[in-house]
Amino acid sequence: MGNREMEELIPLVNRLQDAFSALGQSCLLELPQIAVVGGQSAGKSSVLENFVGRDFLPRGSGIVTRRPLVLQLVTSKAEYAEFLHCKGKKFTDFDEVRHEIEAETDRVTGMNKGISSIPINLRVYSPHVLNLTLIDLPGITKVPVGDQPPDIEYQIREMIMQFITRENCLILAVTPANTDLANSDALKLAKEVDPQGLRTIGVITKLDLMDEGTDARDVLENKLLPLRRGYVGVVNRSQKDIDGKKDIKAAMLAERKFFLSHPAYRHIADRMGTPHLQKVLNQQLTNHIRDTLPNFRNKLQGQLLSIEHEVEGYKNFKPEDPTRKTKALLQMVQQFAVDFEKRIEGSGDQVDTLELSGGAKINRIFHERFPFEIVKMEFNEKELRREISYAIKNIHGIRTGLFTPDMAFEAIVKKQIVKLKGPSLKSVDLVIQELINTVKKCTKKLANFPRLCEETERIVANHIREREGKTKDQVLLLIDIQVSYINTNHEDFIGFAKYVKHLIAVIRKGWLTISNIGIMKGGSKGYWFVLTAESLSWYKDDEEKEKKYMLPLDNLKVRDVEKSFMSSKHIFALFNTEQRNVYKDYRFLELACDSQEDVDSWKASLLRAGVYPDKSLTENDENGQAENFSMDPQLERQVETIRNLVDSYMSIINKCIRDLIPKTIMHLMINNVKDFINSELLAQLYSSEDQNTLMEESAEQAQRRDEMLRMYQALKEALVIIGDINTATTFTPAPPPVDDSWIQHSRSPTTQRRPTLSAPLPRPASGRGPAPAIPSPGPHSGAPPVPFRPGPLPPFPSSSSSGGGSSDWFGAPPQVPSRPTRAPPRGCSLVLFC
């Protein structure tokens, strides 16, 4: 009973694979595949056609199979074929199957011998086949022809290895009886991926074409060059039979007659031939299913559970029921609202671990992107100082001002506040874009109803655009409010009095690198510098606990130092006007900054402390641009004062704007859109389109529903069948290991009668004449036998009932003198997969 249930299970799994492919999903339920490996003209195509019982494969000279052909054989009462790329079309004429294979191959590879790894999927239903899956791949070729690339041999070999490396792939190593078995590339490839020999079955073809007086009895009995699973001999149609349209059924009868009548094979005729080979393969398939049955059942149950929830909605589906459409529309709009709110507010269920959701991205805009855009405005220190200098000069006019004008501070602050409009409006645009992206992601669940999905996106997007104008107006209003009144009495503002008091003590602090002293001691070193009106001190770090030195500012001046091509630092130097050492034994103290802006800022601070430049900098250019800083110490003090006051006030404004802009966007945009979806979306959908139009199902959804129902039914049937399979299922244990090291190391002689590389089998005397003496290698030798000169050989009898010629199966005439054979280059034989 168990074997019968397994036979029923195989077509069900094939149906499941089709259903998953139609839905664009991967089915984890895999059955073994059978790869037929062999050289060109080894008889592979005939073996495949014998399995099917029909002529359906392309034939010709050279490389004929140029794309993988996945051939699934399914036991059925009717006989027909189906292609996956011609879904729904049944081929009952197998000549049309051949033409379709040729046409589909040419469509992808061209008509000039090109190859492609894209497979052709063919399924054949017939009462004359057993449930098997075979893959026919191009045979390995050495020389490119036509449009084939130069590395055609490597490409085909890689294509082959993709299939035979799978643990569920059985390998049929096909070798003609009249070639050198020990140098068979089919067996070498099989040995490479299946060293234990559990998946490899040898197939010997063309037994009827061996030279008279020779046979392959020892090979087929697995005595000569043994394999763990042995060999099966087959007799295919000759080219004359094919040209003469000989029926495959007649060829199978002729094959049976050949084995029963041949004196060397009649005792093993029941283990030879295509029918026996099919049974062996089917038994291996049964073994595989039995071995993997627990895991197989778990996979089926997992697949069933994964689709059960979706299938529940399809079981009682009535497309034309108006109440169903009304209910479905209401449920989908409600679900859309829930999904939108979850993506904005966040939720504990269905958390996306691959990318940020809508709410998380908006949070990033509020607290990372928007503050960053504000900070970017403060980077151009040189431009800001120039603007402050111009403002002070323009306010003083022709007079020389004694005090810092507060009007300059107000003018600069207002200009800086107005600059906040750009980052604020940009944050609104970024939030709008993220809301629209969130709407599109939420409408993916409505994809089964194209018109509903399209209308929902359009209505919500239009509402978002309407709110955009109101939100931007409010954002600009907030900025204008800040510009309208500069509150210098704010508790956090440093103010003029506080700043002047602070200025008396310290003018500037910051990190600088002493570069010329560091060079003498093996490298520059950074210190924390503190500049006052009296001195320049530096400390080990910014905690100012360990003072390294204090340099008085008397008689000091500053000058530029040319930047070294090996350094990325910008350098200026302090020196004494009376030619005295500035620091210990050094006439100059070279200080380095990371940028020219820092250099200019430190020069301005030193100028306020009374340290003047050694010479004037660049004069005003042709456009009347000002210098980097003024030579007037009083003006520099005023610029520095206003600069610090602007910093203090703008920090207050930035703090306020960073708090208010996200709140404004949240209230006027995000919360409003959520309320609109919850309260008005459904009404606007009803007013925009007819309900029947909105709920018109897509063709893809109808197909998916049918595929899901078929898959669900097939899964349930498969689980029922697996439940009926019991331990009484016939099981064939794997044969014991054999010494198959000859595949890799030995070299077989070219003639049929040569002794093997291992110890030769004893030959009973059966009326043969004395054979010439042939030197035999040692029992541990891996080298071929020593060649000998030809001599007169006695004639061979026409038959060998005792098996005396059983080792003589390679097909070369015994009269030809032997030469040492050499193994072909690795991967250079022609190999076909089926």
Side-chain angles (χ1 to χ4, degrees), residues 632-649:
D632 183 0
Q634 184 177 350
L635 178 60
E636 283 302 312
R637 289 191 188 98
Q638 292 176 352
V639 170
E640 185 70 17
T641 298
I642 292 180
R643 173 71 183 88
N644 284 280
L645 293 175
V646 169
D647 263 351
S648 175
Y649 194 81

mmCIF file of all heavy atoms in Angstrom, residues 632-649:
data_model
loop_
_atom_site.group_PDB
_atom_site.id
_atom_site.type_symbol
_atom_site.label_atom_id
_atom_site.label_comp_id
_atom_site.label_asym_id
_atom_site.label_seq_id
_atom_site.Cartn_x
_atom_site.Cartn_y
_atom_site.Cartn_z
ATOM 1 N N ASP A 632 41.839 97.798 12.014
ATOM 2 C CA ASP A 632 41.416 98.616 13.141
ATOM 3 C C ASP A 632 41.074 97.709 14.315
ATOM 4 O O ASP A 632 40.082 96.972 14.263
ATOM 5 C CB ASP A 632 40.202 99.452 12.732
ATOM 6 C CG ASP A 632 39.744 100.381 13.840
ATOM 7 O OD1 ASP A 632 40.370 100.365 14.916
ATOM 8 O OD2 ASP A 632 38.751 101.101 13.632
ATOM 9 N N PRO A 633 41.855 97.738 15.391
ATOM 10 C CA PRO A 633 41.558 96.853 16.529
ATOM 11 C C PRO A 633 40.184 97.117 17.133
ATOM 12 O O PRO A 633 39.506 96.181 17.557
ATOM 13 C CB PRO A 633 42.681 97.169 17.526
ATOM 14 C CG PRO A 633 43.755 97.810 16.711
ATOM 15 C CD PRO A 633 43.077 98.531 15.589
ATOM 16 N N GLN A 634 39.772 98.391 17.182
ATOM 17 C CA GLN A 634 38.474 98.711 17.767
ATOM 18 C C GLN A 634 37.346 98.092 16.957
ATOM 19 O O GLN A 634 36.395 97.532 17.521
ATOM 20 C CB GLN A 634 38.298 100.230 17.857
ATOM 21 C CG GLN A 634 36.994 100.618 18.550
ATOM 22 C CD GLN A 634 36.871 102.127 18.697
ATOM 23 O OE1 GLN A 634 37.823 102.851 18.447
ATOM 24 N NE2 GLN A 634 35.717 102.591 19.117
ATOM 25 N N LEU A 635 37.448 98.155 15.599
ATOM 26 C CA LEU A 635 36.425 97.555 14.747
ATOM 27 C C LEU A 635 36.396 96.047 14.930
ATOM 28 O O LEU A 635 35.317 95.436 14.977
ATOM 29 C CB LEU A 635 36.680 97.919 13.280
ATOM 30 C CG LEU A 635 35.700 97.306 12.270
ATOM 31 C CD1 LEU A 635 34.276 97.763 12.559
ATOM 32 C CD2 LEU A 635 36.107 97.659 10.842
ATOM 33 N N GLU A 636 37.567 95.439 15.047
ATOM 34 C CA GLU A 636 37.616 93.995 15.250
ATOM 35 C C GLU A 636 36.978 93.599 16.571
ATOM 36 O O GLU A 636 36.313 92.571 16.670
ATOM 37 C CB GLU A 636 39.060 93.490 15.181
ATOM 38 C CG GLU A 636 39.614 93.394 13.777
ATOM 39 C CD GLU A 636 38.767 92.479 12.908
ATOM 40 O OE1 GLU A 636 38.432 91.362 13.358
ATOM 41 O OE2 GLU A 636 38.410 92.899 11.797
ATOM 42 N N ARG A 637 37.171 94.430 17.603
ATOM 43 C CA ARG A 637 36.523 94.132 18.879
ATOM 44 C C ARG A 637 35.002 94.216 18.735
ATOM 45 O O ARG A 637 34.252 93.398 19.281
ATOM 46 C CB ARG A 637 37.003 95.110 19.949
ATOM 47 C CG ARG A 637 38.441 94.899 20.378
ATOM 48 C CD ARG A 637 38.755 95.725 21.621
ATOM 49 N NE ARG A 637 40.178 95.661 21.920
ATOM 50 C CZ ARG A 637 41.066 96.608 21.568
ATOM 51 N NH1 ARG A 637 40.657 97.669 20.913
ATOM 52 N NH2 ARG A 637 42.345 96.458 21.884
ATOM 53 N N GLN A 638 34.532 95.237 17.996
ATOM 54 C CA GLN A 638 33.094 95.381 17.795
ATOM 55 C C GLN A 638 32.524 94.226 16.981
ATOM 56 O O GLN A 638 31.439 93.709 17.282
ATOM 57 C CB GLN A 638 32.807 96.721 17.103
ATOM 58 C CG GLN A 638 33.109 97.924 17.963
ATOM 59 C CD GLN A 638 32.901 99.233 17.211
ATOM 60 O OE1 GLN A 638 32.669 99.243 16.007
ATOM 61 N NE2 GLN A 638 32.972 100.349 17.938
ATOM 62 N N VAL A 639 33.275 93.786 15.933
ATOM 63 C CA VAL A 639 32.826 92.629 15.129
ATOM 64 C C VAL A 639 32.741 91.381 15.994
ATOM 65 O O VAL A 639 31.762 90.620 15.940
ATOM 66 C CB VAL A 639 33.772 92.408 13.929
ATOM 67 C CG1 VAL A 639 33.471 91.072 13.244
ATOM 68 C CG2 VAL A 639 33.656 93.553 12.934
ATOM 69 N N GLU A 640 33.770 91.191 16.822
ATOM 70 C CA GLU A 640 33.769 90.007 17.678
ATOM 71 C C GLU A 640 32.625 90.064 18.691
ATOM 72 O O GLU A 640 31.992 89.056 18.994
ATOM 73 C CB GLU A 640 35.116 89.887 18.390
ATOM 74 C CG GLU A 640 35.273 88.625 19.218
ATOM 75 C CD GLU A 640 35.382 87.368 18.355
ATOM 76 O OE1 GLU A 640 35.662 87.489 17.141
ATOM 77 O OE2 GLU A 640 35.191 86.267 18.905
ATOM 78 N N THR A 641 32.357 91.268 19.200
ATOM 79 C CA THR A 641 31.267 91.424 20.169
ATOM 80 C C THR A 641 29.928 91.058 19.540
ATOM 81 O O THR A 641 29.153 90.252 20.087
ATOM 82 C CB THR A 641 31.241 92.871 20.688
ATOM 83 O OG1 THR A 641 32.468 93.158 21.359
ATOM 84 C CG2 THR A 641 30.073 93.061 21.653
ATOM 85 N N ILE A 642 29.646 91.664 18.388
ATOM 86 C CA ILE A 642 28.370 91.387 17.729
ATOM 87 C C ILE A 642 28.294 89.931 17.299
ATOM 88 O O ILE A 642 27.231 89.290 17.390
ATOM 89 C CB ILE A 642 28.173 92.354 16.547
ATOM 90 C CG1 ILE A 642 27.987 93.779 17.067
ATOM 91 C CG2 ILE A 642 26.974 91.939 15.700
ATOM 92 C CD1 ILE A 642 27.787 94.819 16.002
ATOM 93 N N ARG A 643 29.425 89.396 16.856
ATOM 94 C CA ARG A 643 29.428 87.974 16.437
ATOM 95 C C ARG A 643 29.002 87.083 17.589
ATOM 96 O O ARG A 643 28.203 86.164 17.417
ATOM 97 C CB ARG A 643 30.827 87.578 15.940
ATOM 98 C CG ARG A 643 31.001 86.107 15.650
ATOM 99 C CD ARG A 643 30.219 85.716 14.407
ATOM 100 N NE ARG A 643 30.308 84.311 14.127
ATOM 101 C CZ ARG A 643 29.484 83.391 14.632
ATOM 102 N NH1 ARG A 643 28.507 83.760 15.453
ATOM 103 N NH2 ARG A 643 29.615 82.129 14.308
ATOM 104 N N ASN A 644 29.518 87.339 18.773
ATOM 105 C CA ASN A 644 29.158 86.503 19.917
ATOM 106 C C ASN A 644 27.740 86.774 20.387
ATOM 107 O O ASN A 644 27.039 85.857 20.824
ATOM 108 C CB ASN A 644 30.156 86.749 21.054
ATOM 109 C CG ASN A 644 31.486 86.074 20.799
ATOM 110 O OD1 ASN A 644 31.659 84.878 21.004
ATOM 111 N ND2 ASN A 644 32.452 86.857 20.326
ATOM 112 N N LEU A 645 27.295 88.027 20.284
ATOM 113 C CA LEU A 645 25.922 88.322 20.651
ATOM 114 C C LEU A 645 24.932 87.676 19.679
ATOM 115 O O LEU A 645 23.876 87.181 20.092
ATOM 116 C CB LEU A 645 25.712 89.840 20.693
ATOM 117 C CG LEU A 645 26.461 90.594 21.811
ATOM 118 C CD1 LEU A 645 26.266 92.088 21.648
ATOM 119 C CD2 LEU A 645 25.999 90.141 23.188
ATOM 120 N N VAL A 646 25.287 87.690 18.382
ATOM 121 C CA VAL A 646 24.441 87.024 17.381
ATOM 122 C C VAL A 646 24.367 85.532 17.668
ATOM 123 O O VAL A 646 23.296 84.916 17.595
ATOM 124 C CB VAL A 646 24.972 87.295 15.962
ATOM 125 C CG1 VAL A 646 24.278 86.385 14.948
ATOM 126 C CG2 VAL A 646 24.772 88.746 15.580
ATOM 127 N N ASP A 647 25.516 84.955 18.026
ATOM 128 C CA ASP A 647 25.527 83.529 18.383
ATOM 129 C C ASP A 647 24.575 83.265 19.547
ATOM 130 O O ASP A 647 23.808 82.303 19.540
ATOM 131 C CB ASP A 647 26.942 83.107 18.779
ATOM 132 C CG ASP A 647 27.669 82.458 17.623
ATOM 133 O OD1 ASP A 647 27.032 82.193 16.588
ATOM 134 O OD2 ASP A 647 28.882 82.228 17.736
ATOM 135 N N SER A 648 24.640 84.116 20.556
ATOM 136 C CA SER A 648 23.808 83.913 21.739
ATOM 137 C C SER A 648 22.324 84.020 21.394
ATOM 138 O O SER A 648 21.525 83.161 21.797
ATOM 139 C CB SER A 648 24.181 84.948 22.802
ATOM 140 O OG SER A 648 23.317 84.853 23.914
ATOM 141 N N TYR A 649 21.962 85.044 20.625
ATOM 142 C CA TYR A 649 20.541 85.233 20.312
ATOM 143 C C TYR A 649 20.039 84.169 19.334
ATOM 144 O O TYR A 649 18.924 83.668 19.471
ATOM 145 C CB TYR A 649 20.309 86.634 19.727
ATOM 146 C CG TYR A 649 18.848 87.014 19.706
ATOM 147 C CD1 TYR A 649 18.218 87.506 20.849
ATOM 148 C CD2 TYR A 649 18.079 86.861 18.556
ATOM 149 C CE1 TYR A 649 16.871 87.837 20.854
ATOM 150 C CE2 TYR A 649 16.725 87.183 18.550
ATOM 151 C CZ TYR A 649 16.120 87.663 19.704
ATOM 152 O OH TYR A 649 14.789 87.979 19.702
#
